[in-house]
């Protein structure tokens, strides 16, 4: 309480209630993935501190780009970022107006991999006995392997097919993967043929 007195002896008392609350305990925070591909989701999980707690989520980018939903007052959140980058997701909790310290977790978002299978020449009218080198354009990815007819497999990025014959005709597929473990595939069809035989010419001497 507070008493105020004047010089002529008059006084007045007043009182105010003060409530002292402990600071809210900071939650723990983790993500089920540290890295993902664009279009995939991460699940962020914080300590469930029970009733009467507000969960305040934020990120180092706008919520829409970070994939934070408009209704996010809960300890577990599924986020789907809309662009690649390194996202820092932060969380603090509020209990009766007292906020906790902020905790955070980082999720890296990569572009999905892509692949384009090709060869170093024509895919049609490949003569028996010829050699063809398979190749790919993959960007920021790593070749997982090639597959093809007759049980063909290769872990090389650009394997060389040699001494081809009719049985080697068919679909050859390359699969690539990026650092987040996302995969993509591309195929190309080779046609091994004996080609068009040259006609024989005869000259009987008559003009």
């Amino acid at each position: 309480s507070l008493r105020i007195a004047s010089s002529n002896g008059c006084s007045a008392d007043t009182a105010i209630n003060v409530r002292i609350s402990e600071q809210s305990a900071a939650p723990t925070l983790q993500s089920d993935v540290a890295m993902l591909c664009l279009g995939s989701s991460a699940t962020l999980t914080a300590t469930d501190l029970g009733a009467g707690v507000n969960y305040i989520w934020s990120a180092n980018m706008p919520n829409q780009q970070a994939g934070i939903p408009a209704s996010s007052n809960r300890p577990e959140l599924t986020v789907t970022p809309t662009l690649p980058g390194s996202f820092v997701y932060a969380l603090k909790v509020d209990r009766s107006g007292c906020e906790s310290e902020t905790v955070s977790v980082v999720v890296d978002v990569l572009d999905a991999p892509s692949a384009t299978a090709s060869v170093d020449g024509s895919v049609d009218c490949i003569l028996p006995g010829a050699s063809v080198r398979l190749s790919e354009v993959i960007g920021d990815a790593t070749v997982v392997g090639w597959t093809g007819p007759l049980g063909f497999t290769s872990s090389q990025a650009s394997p060389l097919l040699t001494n081809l014959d009719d049985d080697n005709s068919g679909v050859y597929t390359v699969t690539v993967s990026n650092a987040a473990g996302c995969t993509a595939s591309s195929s190309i069809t080779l046609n091994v043929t004996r080609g068009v035989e040259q006609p024989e010419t005869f000259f009987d001497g008559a003009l």
Side-chain angles (χ1 to χ4, degrees), residues 32-55:
D32 63 336
V33 293
M35 186 179 295
L36 55 80
C37 286
L38 191 62
S40 299
S41 301
T43 299
L44 311 178
T45 305
T47 310
D48 189 343
L49 299 177
V53 174
N54 293 315
Y55 296 84

Side-chain angles (χ1 to χ4, degrees), residues 17 108-109 172 187 196 199:
N17 293 323
D108 292 319
V109 181
Y172 290 80
S187 299
V196 178

Side-chain angles (χ1 to χ4, degrees), residues 126-130 163-166 192-195:
I126 301 171
L127 297 178
N163 196 29
L164 296 173
D165 61 28
D166 295 351
V192 182
T193 178
R194 299 193 178 278

Side-chain angles (χ1 to χ4, degrees), residues 159-181:
L160 180 65
L161 307 178
T162 60
N163 196 29
L164 296 173
D165 61 28
D166 295 351
D167 292 336
N168 298 117
S169 294
V171 177
Y172 290 80
T173 300
V174 62
T175 300
V176 301
S177 174
N178 65 8

Side-chain angles (χ1 to χ4, degrees), residues 134 143-148 151-161 173-175:
L134 302 171
V143 171
V144 175
W146 287 85
T147 59
F152 169 78
T153 61
S154 175
S155 59
Q156 298 179 9
S158 299
L160 180 65
L161 307 178
T173 300
V174 62
T175 300

Side-chain angles (χ1 to χ4, degrees), residues 3-97:
R3 170 169 290 182
I4 300 175
S6 67
S7 58
N8 60 9
C10 297
S11 64
D13 295 328
T14 187
I16 187 172
N17 293 323
V18 177
R19 183 178 62 183
I20 300 176
S21 301
E22 294 183 359
Q23 182 181 27
S24 297
T28 60
L29 177 61
Q30 62 183 8
S31 171
D32 63 336
V33 293
M35 186 179 295
L36 55 80
C37 286
L38 191 62
S40 299
S41 301
T43 299
L44 311 178
T45 305
T47 310
D48 189 343
L49 299 177
V53 174
N54 293 315
Y55 296 84
I56 305 168
W57 295 88
S58 61
N60 60 332
M61 297 186 188
N63 283 0
Q64 184 176 5
Q65 295 178 353
I68 297 177
S71 177
S72 58
N73 185 15
R74 53 185 181 273
E76 183 174 289
L77 206 63
T78 298
V79 295
T80 307
T82 61
L83 74 169
S86 185
F87 289 81
V88 181
Y89 292 94
L91 173 66
K92 61 183 177 181
V93 298
D94 175 278
R95 186 193 299 270
S96 301

